Amino acid sequence: MADTDAFTLVNEANQHKIFDDYEELSSAHFVDPQTFLTGVFRRQYPELAVTCTSSRNPALLDFAAAGHATAELDIINESINRFRGYIAGNARYGYKEGIYESRYFAKYNYRWGNHDFILYVIAIGYSSYNFILKEPANGETTLSTPKIVDELIMTCGRWSYPVDNDFIYVYDGYWSASKSLWQQVQKA
């Protein structure tokens, strides 16, 4: 990960935390969380462009977990809201028992290639959002979507949804794609 100084964008004297607004938002005071939070981010980071996406498309944290980027959880400069629980193992699918963690509000220092971003992943009800913050490049403004953000979204999307029809959908309580089953059927 890059030196954390690359992510020090707000004067340390400013003690306001985005989590304060998230807490207020989550207290039944909103109708449109995306609009509300976009405004919050623009006030907190006036020098950065704010891009909002679904956290599932593009799946930026999965993209980083696969080694295509890095996502360093920042609990020094921002609060976190998480839920932890137990998950039973499943020998059939090769899952070991363990502790899982769901994060409903988290800030990450995100690095893709030579580019640094601030990424907030925020879940509200059944919706989950990525807020990608990036300084505008030449010719862009804070109200633009930086070209590099669109490139990240496209690259992550192509990784998430490769053009590959060699799979079979399997239903075992839920639908999942199985490339290995497709390969076994082709050998039969």
Side-chain angles (χ1 to χ4, degrees):
M1 186 74 200
D3 183 8
T4 56
D5 290 343
F7 298 103
T8 306
L9 301 171
V10 180
N11 182 332
E12 290 183 25
N14 181 351
Q15 295 300 310
H16 177 81
K17 303 290 186 204
I18 300 295
F19 187 81
D20 298 337
D21 290 308
Y22 170 76
E23 182 178 39
E24 177 69 18
L25 170 69
S26 298
S27 302
H29 297 282
F30 68 93
V31 174
D32 180 5
Q34 177 185 348
T35 300
F36 176 85
L37 287 169
T38 297
V40 168
F41 286 116
R42 285 181 177 157
R43 285 188 299 278
Q44 182 70 21
Y45 298 99
E47 72 284 4
L48 300 178
V50 178
T51 304
C52 181
T53 71
S54 163
S55 66
R56 291 174 185 86
N57 183 8
L60 294 173
L61 293 179
D62 292 344
F63 187 66
H68 303 292
T70 59
E72 180 182 287
L73 181 63
D74 181 356
I75 55 174
I76 302 298
N77 299 305
E78 189 63 80
S79 191
I80 185 171
N81 184 10
R82 55 183 151 200
F83 180 86
R84 293 175 65 82
Y86 169 79
I87 187 165
N90 184 322
R92 180 176 181 186
Y93 291 110
Y95 302 144
K96 295 181 180 180
E97 72 173 348
I99 302 295
Y100 71 88
E101 178 172 288
S102 296
R103 295 176 181 161
Y104 296 97
F105 181 98
K107 176 186 177 191
Y108 298 87
N109 296 324
Y110 198 90
R111 180 168 255 266
W112 175 59
N114 295 323
H115 302 281
D116 295 314
F117 306 83
I118 296 174
L119 172 65
Y120 281 86
V121 180
I122 301 174
I124 301 170
Y126 294 112
S127 299
S128 184
Y129 303 94
N130 287 328
F131 286 90
I132 308 163
L133 287 70
K134 181 70 177 158
E135 65 278 352
N138 290 337
E140 298 173 341
T141 72
T142 57
L143 297 179
S144 302
T145 298
K147 183 179 176 183
I148 193 65
V149 171
D150 280 346
E151 289 176 20
L152 172 61
I153 291 169
M154 287 292 290
T155 302
C156 182
R158 287 179 182 136
W159 171 82
S160 298
Y161 301 101
V163 178
D164 182 1
N165 295 322
D166 295 343
F167 57 87
I168 291 177
Y169 281 103
V170 179
Y171 185 76
D172 189 20
Y174 64 95
W175 287 102
S176 62
S178 175
K179 187 165 186 77
S180 63
L181 182 56
W182 170 264
Q183 291 167 345
Q184 290 174 16
V185 169
Q186 296 307 304
K187 291 177 186 175

